[in-house]
Amino acid sequence: MKLAVVGGGSTYTPELIDGFARLRETLPIEELVLVDPAEDRLRLVGGLARRIFAKQDHPGIVTTTSDLDAGVAGADAVLLQLRVGGQAARAQDETWPLECGCVGQETTGAGGLAKALRTVPVVLDIAERVRRAAPDAWIIDFTNPVGIVTRALLQAGHKAVGLCNVAIGFQRKFASFLGVTPDQVHLDHVGLNHLTWERGVRIGGPGGEDVLPKLLAAHGDAIADDLHLPRTLLDRLGVVPSYYLRYFYAHDEVVRELRSKPSRAAEVAAIEAELLEMYGDESLDEKPELLSRRGGAYYSEAAVALASSLLRDTGDVQVVNTLNNGTLPFLPDDAVIEVPATVDASGTHPLPVAPLDPLYSGLIANVTAYEDLALTAAVHGGRDRVFKALLSHPLIGQHEYADALTDRLIAHNREHLAWI
């Protein structure tokens, strides 16, 4: 089995490597190729990856290359984890929206649109090259904004599934609270990427007992603290929202906070510099503890499970980003939703979803419409398309803001927008 990781020079990659090494019985990799144009980073990350495999007696080989076509040739699965423009572009995404009083974040609002505009054309080019070099390969997308990027891939006819770590993070946390193993916890997880709610927590499978009310009663304070949302809100809703919902439920509070402290991008850039120095130490043969502050907890476990289901036809149930196809009847079939699905060699098959309260379906429908306009802008370009996407976003919605944000978005992303 051959896997390729596009964006393999990321400082996050050792988290993936650690998961591949520990879970080799689940996903028996014979060759792992790290692909990245940044050869200096690739050398450091590739060296550590080989040492991690060696320490854990993994029989697979790790190779590195800056040649995308050679790296993905013959792969069974290609994992995408790239950041067009790097942390510098992320820093801009997190700052210029604040000038208009709007949240600055890399996947939500105006910053998220900027990232989509930079990313979608690059990912579609990569996917076409994968299709030529490895026509049977599955593409597993970690690249944000996952929902929009996955929708772009699927609309272009690629064998693609999107993956996020929000659901597996909740699963692990809830399992710890409940004193059970993670595989016993099934989430009634529904929504769009970075716009989801846990409406139930079931023990033993989709039809098991819903223990969410008991969980909130016993651990609601801890859950609310993690989300930076008031406990009273969770009690009133009776669900656990993704922490990304804070940008919607407490937008103005978040803007005040973001204006008063350094950006998350600046924090991550400092962590990355320290990590790269550590990766250069040839005595290091495990992922360092500092990596946990980089973000992306449990991505490796989620990636291994998804790749194994697709390549070994296991039929496991996992939370994925996939085509709606009638699962949420108020959305178009080609919308990409984030729900539990059975995963096998033929792809993903969403489980039935109980009807949603208008409080949730309304916001999902609104953001889906935005994502449709965002994808159109990313594929076809044009100032008017960018403006319409921003105007449609529920965190923006006023024409003066949308105009001002359009000008700032274009000004900060000229080098990445072919249509300028």
Side-chain angles (χ1 to χ4, degrees):
M1 184 181 297
K2 175 180 177 179
L3 264 65
V5 180
V6 179
S10 167
T11 56
Y12 171 74
T13 297
E15 170 70 27
L16 276 178
I17 302 300
D18 176 74
F20 292 154
R22 287 186 292 103
L23 302 170
R24 56 184 174 273
E25 298 300 323
T26 303
L27 189 67
I29 299 171
E30 297 168 298
E31 181 181 2
L32 178 64
V33 185
L34 306 181
V35 183
D36 204 294
E39 294 184 1
D40 53 342
R41 294 167 66 105
L42 196 58
R43 175 178 55 81
L44 296 174
V45 174
L48 176 56
R50 295 185 189 96
R51 295 192 297 272
I52 291 174
F53 265 31
K55 181 178 182 179
Q56 300 197 35
D57 296 321
H58 193 294
I61 62 171
V62 178
T63 59
T64 62
T65 181
S66 57
D67 185 332
L68 174 68
D69 301 301
V72 303
D76 296 288
V78 177
L79 283 61
L80 304 183
Q81 56 166 36
L82 52 142
R83 181 182 295 279
V84 179
Q87 293 298 332
R90 176 180 181 173
Q92 292 179 353
D93 294 343
E94 293 178 350
T95 52
W96 54 262
L98 297 174
E99 297 170 6
C100 298
C102 296
V103 68
Q105 209 276 333
E106 65 163 340
T107 65
T108 300
L113 177 60
K115 194 171 196 301
L117 295 180
R118 294 193 302 269
T119 305
V120 166
V122 174
V123 166
L124 288 177
D125 176 67
I126 291 170
E128 287 299 329
R129 294 164 70 176
V130 169
R131 179 146 50 191
R132 292 195 296 269
D136 295 325
W138 281 100
I139 295 176
I140 299 175
D141 177 53
F142 303 155
T143 298
N144 280 319
V146 167
I148 295 173
V149 172
T150 302
R151 190 172 183 179
L153 289 166
L154 292 170
Q155 285 190 358
H158 297 289
K159 292 175 59 178
V161 183
L163 186 62
C164 182
N165 71 327
V166 168
I168 194 172
F170 277 133
Q171 181 199 47
R172 298 306 174 88
K173 185 175 294 294
F174 295 163
S176 176
F177 285 147
L178 296 166
V180 299
T181 58
D183 64 330
Q184 293 178 275
V185 176
H186 177 88
L187 301 176
D188 289 348
H189 178 102
V190 64
L192 311 176
N193 180 241
H194 290 186
L195 194 85
T196 53
W197 297 265
E198 311 305 330
R199 295 192 299 169
V201 178
R202 301 183 183 276
I203 302 301
E209 177 192 3
D210 182 10
V211 298
L212 180 56
K214 297 177 183 177
L215 190 65
L216 285 173
H219 303 283
D221 288 341
I223 296 170
D225 286 346
D226 282 346
L227 299 174
H228 299 287
L229 288 169
R231 165 71 185 271
T232 53
L233 177 62
L234 271 60
D235 290 338
R236 293 173 72 182
L237 296 178
V239 303
V240 178
S242 158
Y243 45 84
Y244 287 93
L245 265 298
R246 186 168 185 255
Y247 298 117
F248 294 81
Y249 293 161
H251 177 272
D252 293 353
E253 178 184 350
V254 172
V255 168
R256 290 192 295 270
E257 290 178 3
L258 294 175
R259 284 173 164 170
S260 67
K261 63 181 182 180
S263 68
R264 171 62 177 164
E267 180 183 352
V268 170
I271 293 171
E272 286 198 332
E274 190 173 349
L275 284 171
L276 288 171
E277 185 174 351
M278 297 173 74
Y279 294 171
D281 180 354
E282 295 191 0
S283 67
L284 182 68
D285 56 7
E286 60 185 12
K287 65 175 184 179
E289 176 60 32
L290 178 64
L291 187 54
S292 65
R293 292 170 50 198
R294 171 68 177 77
Y298 307 119
Y299 252 130
S300 58
E301 284 87 347
V304 167
L306 178 55
S308 176
S309 294
L310 292 168
L311 300 179
R312 305 182 78 186
D313 197 26
T314 62
D316 297 332
V317 174
Q318 297 167 44
V319 174
V320 295
N321 283 261
T322 188
L323 286 175
N324 178 45
N325 280 340
T327 305
L328 301 181
F330 55 90
L331 295 184
D333 285 347
D334 67 347
V336 165
I337 60 175
E338 187 171 292
V339 294
T342 302
V343 184
D344 56 29
S346 66
T348 57
H349 315 281
L351 301 182
V353 173
L356 273 75
D357 186 288
L359 178 64
Y360 312 120
S361 62
L363 184 55
I364 291 171
N366 191 337
V367 175
T368 297
Y370 151 75
E371 289 188 347
D372 186 33
L373 293 168
L375 181 53
T376 299
V379 172
H380 300 291
R383 188 188 187 283
D384 283 349
R385 293 189 179 97
V386 174
F387 169 78
K388 289 176 181 178
L390 289 168
L391 186 64
S392 73
H393 199 290
L395 297 184
I396 300 166
Q398 298 183 54
H399 70 89
E400 290 184 354
Y401 287 170
D403 257 329
L405 289 166
T406 299
D407 290 339
R408 285 166 170 78
L409 186 155
I410 292 172
H412 285 283
N413 290 277
R414 286 185 177 277
E415 63 183 295
H416 301 293
L417 305 177
W419 46 271
I420 295 297

